[in-house]
Amino acid sequence: MTPYEVIRRKRDGGELRSDELRAFLEGYAQGSIEEYQMAAYLMAVFFVGMTEVELATLVDVMLHSGVVADLSNVPGIKVDKHSTGGVGDKVSLVLAPLVAALGVPVPMMSGRGLGHTGGTVDKLETIPGFRLELGLDEYRAQMERIGCALIAASPEIAPLDRRLYALRDVTGTIESIPLIASSIMSKKLAEGIDALVLDVKVGGGAFMADDAKARELARTMIAIGRAHGRTVVARLTAMDRPLGFAIGNALEVEESVAALQGGGPPDLRAVTVALAAEMLVLGGRADTVEDGIAHASAALDDGRALEMMRAVINAQGGNASVLDDPAILPQADVQVVFESPRAGRVVAMDTRAIGVAAVELGAGRATLGARIDPSAGFHLTVKPGDTIERNQPLGTIHARTEALAQHARERLTAAITIGDGRATQLPLVGERITG
Ligand code: URA
């Protein structure tokens, strides 16, 4: 079947047989199908969706496009967490060392920023010297030695997802349930985990903004996990406002350090602790979610999570003094406080628009292979429901130039609605979905 016919059939709502889709995907992986043809196919999937057989084929081809890591030498139940992506979502940076400090091995492979959302890899790369591109042998050895690794999905792991992920990032083809579910699950199945906790974001800053779609995404990923013999639990968490105060790579690392020291924004801590509790139950280190919450809170407060992060940064060549002095992170030349144009209440935050503004500032990529500005971003000090005086600071913009900061100020002023009405908010940690 020619690539043209594959794209056309999908575009017109038809189903591709497993062998037909496999040949198309493998052709792309091997270079006989062009980027523009794959982009057209992805756009067709975006509009038409995928059948169960097509989805299973896509997961299988992505999973086996590289190596499936074997962590059987690492004792214990290996549990990872993956987020469907959000604005200010730096949970992984706190959660992985926290759960590992409590005895559950956490082999965490993460991605770069996608669309308007940030990526754990871009954030961690702002730590001087920190290497995320570990080879699989090094990854396995580190897991055996300290029980935690925070790495980029290595080129050996699901390389087809790596290419599709980067292509989707710049072609408007992210917000698709089968594409997100297969992307996340193929990587997770390849990294050697036994169980997985999914942080499924819901609200305007999530890829699946509405509840029903977020639930469908969760169920799709759980079903893929089950079909491959893994236990998967999902929590819906709020993305109708940014998580924490910091948005932007180095700024988010700084905020994560505060959380690892037992402080940081309360919403970041609450989501992290809730997800940690699920991981501790799956990993056999807590009998109930309530026990897990108590263990996780204690390990943030008494420094065990921080010390595990130190071990991870040291193991991966980073400068661990960032945990004592975050000022060694890249700092923006221009830092501008922006103020509320009126008195009132923060009624709503257009979280997606805030994420897009961060990308425009340089915290994310507009084209394949673009370089990000590690120091760019915002520190927003307000949340929906807060009462605001006229000219009260709403946050600080960190930018490379005055012009970029001015543009961001306009974006943010439009994205944060100050009014007289009530603010409605989604529950920070919502529904638990197990199947
Ligand atoms: N995270 C991923 O790994 N892939 C997606 O498609 C979306 C979020």
Side-chain angles (χ1 to χ4, degrees), residues 82-85 114 161 165 168 174 179-180 183-184 187 207:
H82 199 86
S83 156
T84 55
L114 187 65
D161 170 65
Y165 187 93
R168 287 168 55 219
I174 299 168
L179 295 181
I180 297 175
S183 162
I184 291 177
K187 284 191 288 263
F207 290 126

Side-chain angles (χ1 to χ4, degrees), residues 9 14 24 52 60 62 79-80 142 197 209 285 309 322 354 365 370 390 425:
R9 178 152 352 136
F24 181 73
E52 245 173 71
D60 191 60
M62 290 208 288
V79 188
D80 190 7
Q142 183 171 321
V197 173
R285 294 288 173 157
M309 188 57 164
V322 70
I354 294 170
R365 295 175 185 78
R390 185 163 186 263
Q425 285 188 66

